[in-house]
Amino acid sequence: MSPLKITTGYAATGPVLKVLGELDYDNAPELSELVPTIPLRPGQCLVLDLGGMVFCDSSGLSALIAAHRHTQAARADIALAAVPAHTLRILRIVGLDQIFPIHPDTASATAP
Amino acid sequence: MMCRTGQQQEPHEADEAESSRGAFAALLEDSAEELYENAPCGYLSTLMDGTIAKINATLLGWLGLDREAVVGRMRFTDLLTVGGRLYHETHFAPMLQMQGEISGIALEIKQSGGGRIPVLVSSSVKHGSTGEPLLIRTTVFDARQRRAYEEELLRGRKAAEEARRQSEADRARLQDALAVLQQSLLPDILPVLPGVETAASYHTASPDRLGGDFYDVFPLDGKRFGFFLGDVCGKGPQAAAVTSLTRYTLRTAALHDPDPVTALTTLNKVLHERYAAGSGDPRYCTVVFGTLEPDPDTGQVAVRIASGGHPPAIVTRADGTADFLPTPGGLLVGVLPSAQFTAATTTLAPGDTLLLYTDGITEARTGPDRTSLYGDQALLSFASDHAGKPASALIEALTALLQRFGDGLDDDTALLALGAPTAGHRTRSSR
């Protein structure tokens, strides 16, 4: 099992969180608890780079939805980058691809 | 000189040692009879027939009897309670006769005042020079303290057993309550629908946790029936509460307006209002909701469904094929204040079956890591292998498949099959 690791960076568009490892029942709350502590100004975009995420279950989806809700409340945007194929398939099934802008990588997600 | 004292004692010191040794010896000599009489245990000697020949003052004191009333007049068994006498005759005396000695037997002796004292009794037979038995020597220990201690232990054990019984009863009550709640989440039996064969199965990954999957089938009006199957995010009591809210909201919504998209839109509003708006505990579900309208003349069943974020239903056909019934773009229910849901329709001809499932089956692990999953294509191909069979046969085959996954099944799985029976099959339901 690879535990969850989240690194925080900043781009011109706003904060960028890189999610590495497994976003599952045990680890997903880490992301949910971290997001509200990230400074986010109205109009900025929080980018979640999922390129290093090896697993995501329904708890992981819940964490993504919680992040979406948080950015909405902050009048900011959210975007996903480098979503792994398996997770992308699930996002499509549950319709979340309609509420999350999805980018191939962080560079395009943070392009001004 | 430091060593002188040790080498040779002074005359007066030697005298002192001498007199102290004498006093010690005198004490010992004096105590032989004294010890017998007043020892901290009872002594008695009896003839081989049990007649008491000698008894010490300690034991007489416990009994509250005079020596004259006992010696030569009473037998050892006369000192015992009825129970003790019985035990003496059946066990004590025979053992003593066989082994020549017996020790630590618990008996009770009677006091003249009517009381009784628990005692521990040891006896041995004294033999003559030619080996013939002469008399029996017996010691009697006061076991009152010990008995009190044993009773204390027994009381403690009884209390512990009572506590254990209580906690087991509590546990059983809790399990009963859970079972009742679980039953309120799923229909006990599926209703019998004219012109539709129904079959369902619920497979729990962990038996002691309330599951988050649900399904239901129910009549709408004279000719139509509603059905749904879904999956609430999470598990346990919180998920069960969402499941319950979802089930009864969908049933009520469908009675007002059976249109599948309308029913899901109502559910979305209810869930979002209850759990998302301002709550720190967002809850949502994926669900397929639909209606069935059997045509008694043709044996066909018209199906209308809508999906909110749920994996697509599968339709198996009488000709041995199977396909997804796509409902793309439907969003998880309860995430957004207003959400889009996608409708689809199909017609089941006799021998066709609509299969609804939760992702417990498609996400079942088939390899060592968490990314080798059974998958939707495998499920479709499995369903096509069983196409043309009745709904109950399809559910049976899928249930066997789930059992083969074993530990690979991480999540609960609900299955619901709705079929248009062939002319040979009468309407029936099974679960």
Side-chain angles (χ1 to χ4, degrees):
Chain A
M1 298 251 171
S2 49
L4 181 66
K5 191 167 176 257
I6 305 171
T7 63
T8 311
Y10 290 93
T13 49
V16 177
L17 301 186
K18 270 189 194 298
V19 177
L20 304 158
E22 302 185 345
L23 206 56
D24 61 7
Y25 183 82
D26 295 322
N27 300 325
E30 235 176 276
L31 178 62
S32 307
E33 284 157 24
L34 174 68
V35 166
T37 68
I38 305 288
L40 191 63
R41 288 196 306 276
Q44 279 191 321
C45 180
L46 172 67
V47 173
L48 299 180
D49 185 326
L50 307 182
M53 185 178 72
V54 296
F55 181 82
C56 176
D57 66 4
S58 66
S59 309
L61 293 187
S62 295
L64 296 183
I65 291 168
H68 180 270
R69 202 157 274 160
H70 173 75
T71 55
Q72 293 254 299
R75 284 182 291 135
D77 291 318
I78 188 167
L80 305 181
V83 182
H86 174 257
T87 303
L88 191 58
R89 193 181 65 82
I90 294 177
L91 289 180
R92 288 201 174 116
I93 290 176
V94 300
L96 287 180
D97 57 333
Q98 302 164 63
I99 68 167
F100 284 101
I102 294 174
H103 297 272
D105 49 44
T106 293
S108 67
T110 57
Chain B
M1 302 259 291
M2 294 297 290
C3 59
R4 211 181 122 239
T5 315
Q7 286 169 336
Q8 190 186 338
Q9 286 177 335
E10 291 291 320
H12 70 274
E13 283 177 349
D15 288 350
E16 250 176 41
E18 190 72 18
S19 73
S20 122
R21 254 198 305 276
F24 190 63
L27 200 63
L28 277 178
E29 273 163 28
D30 183 50
S31 68
E33 191 59 21
E34 166 72 10
L35 172 65
Y36 179 80
E37 287 299 338
N38 297 311
C41 64
Y43 286 123
L44 81 161
S45 305
T46 67
L47 305 181
M48 291 313 293
D49 69 355
T51 307
I52 296 169
K54 201 177 176 193
I55 183 165
N56 77 344
T58 304
L59 187 50
L60 285 170
W62 290 347
L63 294 165
L65 296 173
D66 290 330
R67 194 177 300 275
E68 297 75 47
V70 175
V71 173
R73 291 174 182 269
M74 292 176 85
R75 294 172 188 239
F76 174 54
T77 49
D78 296 332
L79 309 181
L80 303 175
T81 57
V82 177
R85 214 174 298 162
L86 208 65
Y87 188 83
H88 184 274
E89 275 166 34
T90 55
H91 292 84
F92 193 97
M95 288 287 278
L96 182 60
Q97 203 173 3
M98 270 168 51
Q99 300 175 351
E101 60 179 18
I102 186 166
S103 72
I105 301 302
L107 296 170
E108 280 187 329
I109 55 171
K110 294 185 294 186
Q111 292 179 290
S112 63
R116 43 181 59 189
I117 302 177
V119 291
L120 290 175
V121 178
S122 298
S123 291
S124 63
V125 177
K126 184 190 179 187
H127 296 275
S129 52
T130 55
E132 78 284 12
L134 291 180
L135 53 88
I136 302 166
R137 289 165 167 164
T138 298
T139 53
V140 180
F141 290 93
D142 182 349
R144 278 176 290 199
Q145 288 302 319
R146 183 190 164 118
R147 180 68 63 88
Y149 175 62
E150 283 170 353
E151 277 168 2
E152 197 55 45
L153 283 182
L154 217 59
R155 259 200 298 281
R157 200 169 88 177
K158 270 190 191 141
E161 273 172 5
E162 183 53 36
R164 188 176 54 83
R165 250 198 308 279
Q166 186 62 44
S167 86
E168 272 174 8
D170 288 349
R171 193 182 149 86
R173 249 202 318 278
L174 202 62
Q175 274 175 342
D176 285 350
L178 274 184
V180 169
L181 283 178
Q182 180 87 66
Q183 277 163 19
S184 82
L185 306 179
L186 294 172
D188 211 18
I189 48 162
L190 295 179
V192 176
L193 311 187
V196 183
E197 194 209 6
T198 58
S201 154
Y202 194 98
H203 193 102
T204 38
S206 50
D208 57 340
R209 289 172 85 178
L210 288 167
D213 290 2
F214 58 91
Y215 61 82
D216 205 355
V217 180
F218 52 99
L220 283 173
D221 49 36
K223 51 192 174 100
R224 281 182 299 183
F225 303 92
F227 65 89
F228 53 82
L229 175 142
D231 182 356
V232 161
C233 76
K235 270 176 177 283
Q238 290 85 357
V242 184
T243 306
S244 185
L245 179 60
T246 297
R247 182 177 182 201
Y248 296 106
T249 300
L250 280 177
R251 269 183 168 244
T252 312
L255 287 177
H256 282 286
D257 185 347
D259 176 62
V261 169
T262 308
L264 290 188
T265 303
T266 302
L267 176 64
N268 184 70
K269 272 189 193 134
V270 169
L271 283 189
H272 188 267
E273 197 279 324
R274 167 66 182 81
Y275 286 103
S279 138
D281 180 31
R283 299 261 163 196
Y284 46 82
C285 68
T286 72
V287 61
V288 172
F289 177 92
T291 58
L292 304 168
E293 190 170 353
D295 182 340
D297 297 330
T298 62
Q300 293 186 332
V301 179
V303 178
R304 294 172 56 79
I305 64 168
S307 166
H310 201 80
I314 290 175
V315 181
T316 65
R317 300 292 181 186
D319 65 4
T321 60
D323 262 310
F324 288 113
L325 180 58
T327 40
L331 184 67
L332 277 171
V333 182
V335 173
L336 293 182
S338 61
Q340 293 295 309
F341 300 109
T342 314
T345 59
T346 190
T347 301
L348 302 178
D352 295 352
T353 299
L354 176 73
L355 172 67
L356 303 176
Y357 55 93
T358 55
D359 64 2
I361 187 165
T362 47
E363 304 282 304
R365 280 178 292 109
T366 53
D369 64 28
R370 297 172 96 173
T371 49
S372 318
L373 305 177
Y374 185 64
D376 42 9
Q377 286 306 320
L379 179 62
L380 181 64
S381 134
F382 185 93
S384 68
D385 290 344
H386 294 80
K389 293 184 187 168
S392 54
L394 179 59
I395 294 298
E396 270 168 39
L398 285 166
T399 303
L401 173 70
L402 288 173
Q403 267 153 12
R404 284 203 294 280
F405 287 140
D407 288 345
L409 212 57
D410 288 331
D411 206 354
D412 288 6
T413 302
L415 300 167
L416 176 63
L418 305 161
T422 51
H425 283 82
R426 302 290 301 164
T427 295
R428 59 187 176 148
S429 296
S430 67
R431 182 190 166 195

